């Protein structure tokens, strides 16, 4: 294995052009960072990703927003592993959103549906 520690920069959803048009009941934004992912096969530059973490005091939901890569992001997915649900799908033509957490799938759908691009 190899240990990866990508650089993280604190940011705000709004400063990166995103917002939630409605708050998912009980949850608050606890952090937002910009980081890079490992370069995809054949890519020379690491891909930037925005991560927003929301909490209701008991659990967390992570939302990852990245530019869509047609080689990796082929079809939407809703899956569950133990208590963790994961929702992955395109947001418009340019963005791929992954929402995951130890919450019901409908809660992830609420986060996804509340997300909007502001610029």
């Amino acid at each position: 294995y190899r240990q990866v520690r990508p650089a993280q920069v604190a940011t705000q959803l709004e400063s990166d052009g995103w917002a939630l048009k409605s708050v998912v009941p009980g949850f608050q934004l606890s952090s937002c960072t910009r980081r890079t992912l490992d370069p995809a096969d054949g890519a020379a530059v690491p891909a930037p990703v925005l991560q927003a973490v929301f909490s209701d005091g008991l659990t967390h939901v992570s939302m990852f927003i990245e530019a869509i890569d047609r080689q990796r992001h082929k079809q939407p997915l809703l899956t569950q592993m133990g208590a963790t649900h994961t929702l992955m799908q395109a947001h418009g033509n340019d963005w791929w959103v992954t929402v995951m957490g130890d919450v019901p799938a409908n809660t992830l759908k609420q986060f996804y549906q509340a997300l909007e691009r502001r610029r």
Side-chain angles (χ1 to χ4, degrees):
Y1 76 91
R2 67 187 175 103
Q3 191 172 28
V4 178
R5 293 190 180 170
Q8 300 179 27
V9 177
T11 188
Q12 298 294 319
L13 277 173
E14 296 80 13
S15 64
D16 275 66
W18 295 95
L20 292 183
K21 55 187 165 195
S22 60
V23 178
V24 177
F27 284 87
Q28 294 182 355
L29 180 65
S30 59
S31 69
C32 188
T33 57
R34 193 177 319 110
R35 66 179 74 220
T36 56
L37 299 175
D38 281 350
D41 293 337
V45 180
V49 64
L50 183 66
Q51 179 186 9
V53 179
F54 301 87
S55 177
D56 67 354
L58 295 174
T59 192
H60 294 84
V61 171
S62 288
M63 177 182 288
F64 300 90
I65 306 168
E66 60 186 300
I68 202 161
D69 176 348
R70 302 281 178 207
Q71 298 296 319
R72 293 186 317 127
H73 306 130
K74 298 189 187 261
Q75 63 184 2
L77 176 69
L78 177 60
T79 188
Q80 177 181 359
M81 180 178 252
T84 303
H85 285 90
T86 303
L87 170 70
M88 300 185 310
Q89 67 185 74
H91 192 280
N93 293 322
D94 300 322
W95 303 99
W96 188 261
V97 175
T98 301
V99 189
M100 62 190 315
D102 293 347
V103 296
N106 282 339
T107 303
L108 298 183
K109 290 176 185 177
Q110 285 181 307
F111 275 100
Y112 175 83
Q113 291 166 351
L115 183 66
E116 66 181 5
R117 185 75 172 148
R118 293 272 171 103
R119 58 174 149 132

